[in-house]
Amino acid sequence: MHRQALLNAVDVALAGEWDQAHRIVQADESDPMACRIHAVLHKIEGDAWNSRYWYGRTPHRYEDWGMDARGELEAIRAELRSLPD
């Protein structure tokens, strides 16, 4: 998935637009970063089982950030911004 689309998903999630962010990341369920964002969105929703499923498609774990979804989204945004276009 294109880096800008992922950044947009993170930004709208941080703005409280969970549904919009969810639609963005669902566009590419094979991209590990999209899956990670998807996992965080389900964590925000309170759906631990679904969140764990999406984390399972990434090198990260549900427990890595505890329930600090905002902190994880901010870390994802920083990581995405550090990547080349």
Side-chain angles (χ1 to χ4, degrees):
M1 179 170 260
H2 190 270
R3 182 177 74 100
Q4 190 55 48
L6 294 170
L7 279 167
N8 186 41
V10 170
D11 288 342
V12 297
L14 287 168
E17 298 294 331
W18 183 91
D19 287 331
Q20 184 179 355
H22 197 236
R23 282 191 299 276
I24 294 167
V25 296
Q26 281 182 310
D28 187 355
E29 295 179 346
S30 67
D31 180 274
M33 186 61 83
C35 290
R36 183 177 179 197
I37 297 167
H38 200 161
V40 177
L41 295 173
H42 282 289
K43 186 183 281 188
I44 292 168
E45 183 188 31
D47 186 350
W49 183 90
N50 212 351
S51 181
R52 289 178 198 283
Y53 169 81
W54 289 104
Y55 275 111
R57 299 179 68 158
T58 79
H60 302 277
R61 297 176 323 123
Y62 180 86
E63 297 78 16
D64 289 348
W65 284 84
M67 294 309 293
D68 184 13
R70 182 171 197 81
E72 186 169 5
L73 286 171
E74 289 171 354
I76 291 169
R77 181 170 53 190
E79 184 178 338
L80 287 166
R81 286 182 175 165
S82 73
L83 297 174
D85 285 332

